[in-house]
Amino acid sequence: MVRCDVCGQEYGVTHVCTGARLEAALDPRWAPVAGFAPLRYFRQAVAIARWDDAAIIAASEDRAATRYGGAIWLIGQALYLGTGLWVGRNTIRLGVPQLVAGALVLVAFQAVLFLAQYGCCHLLARWLFGGRGTFRGIIRPMLLGSVVIWALPIPYVGPLVAGLWFLAIMMLVFENVDGIGRLKAFGLATAFGVLFTVASFALFHPH
């Protein structure tokens, strides 16, 4: 057994340190900001992408993280769709109204999938592992962390890099917000990441 130097808890492989969480929540870098502050929240999004625990915990308790994170997520979707349209511009035979309608439907579907994936993960974390966070607390840092999907348009390696990067962020979010062990968070993140990726691929490529 090992004793944590911060909270004094004894543990075997890993544990969620309540003392470290309190210190992270009080980090002045990520204190909520009144008014319009896109650059401040973009910096926090980058910090989450760099696996900053304090940025994740602060975002989970900051209402403003929802709208700024939502904007970051929408930009990522726009970049991905725009790249796909540009690559296929010579083969697409649809008019502008049809393309816009199709893009809106696709983005709406991706948003539902996003909420469903992390909602199901959160419920399982609570039921199976005694997770103590909230659904909003999970969604906020995940939205900010979605800045990594801006890497999707990178040729060849973009989807793989963005997918693995987002999976790592998901693991850290569940560890810090729901308070479950890292190995359990990794298992949840991996299982649901694979499940929803396969489901999404099956829906868009039925044959």
Side-chain angles (χ1 to χ4, degrees):
M1 299 293 286
V2 179
R3 181 180 294 275
C4 176
D5 294 331
V6 177
C7 67
Q9 179 182 345
E10 292 186 347
Y11 62 95
V13 179
T14 183
H15 83 301
V16 178
C17 180
T18 55
R21 178 179 173 81
L22 179 59
E23 288 181 1
L26 297 175
D27 192 322
R29 294 177 301 163
W30 314 123
V33 177
F36 188 59
L39 293 179
R40 147 69 176 76
Y41 283 93
F42 180 73
R43 288 197 300 269
Q44 187 169 2
V46 172
I48 291 174
R50 296 174 62 184
W51 306 339
D52 187 319
D53 291 337
I56 290 171
I57 293 169
S60 72
E61 300 173 357
D62 186 353
R63 293 180 181 180
T66 305
R67 62 176 181 271
Y68 289 109
I72 287 172
W73 183 85
L74 284 173
I75 291 171
Q77 297 299 315
L79 287 172
Y80 187 53
L81 288 174
T83 302
L85 291 174
W86 176 257
V87 171
R89 65 189 181 281
N90 294 324
T91 59
I92 295 175
R93 297 292 181 264
L94 297 176
V96 173
Q98 291 87 349
L99 285 175
V100 172
L104 291 175
V105 170
L106 184 58
V107 169
F109 173 78
Q110 291 290 351
V112 171
L113 199 65
F114 182 94
L115 295 174
Q117 178 176 355
Y118 303 119
C120 290
C121 270
H122 174 60
L123 288 176
L124 278 182
R126 291 179 67 90
W127 290 341
L128 297 180
F129 307 126
R132 59 176 182 270
T134 65
F135 178 62
R136 289 179 181 178
I138 294 292
I139 291 299
R140 289 165 181 163
M142 289 304 302
L143 284 171
L144 285 177
S146 68
V147 69
V148 301
I149 70 175
W150 291 11
L152 282 172
I154 298 175
Y156 307 112
V157 299
L160 179 62
V161 170
L164 292 177
W165 203 349
F166 208 39
L167 191 66
I169 291 172
M170 182 180 174
M171 179 189 72
L172 292 174
V173 168
F174 277 89
E175 179 187 14
N176 283 290
V177 179
D178 263 338
I180 63 177
R182 180 163 297 183
L183 293 179
K184 295 173 182 177
F186 175 77
L188 272 179
T190 303
F192 274 87
V194 171
L195 176 63
F196 277 81
T197 299
V198 171
S200 180
F201 185 84
L203 283 172
F204 287 101
H205 303 83
H207 303 297

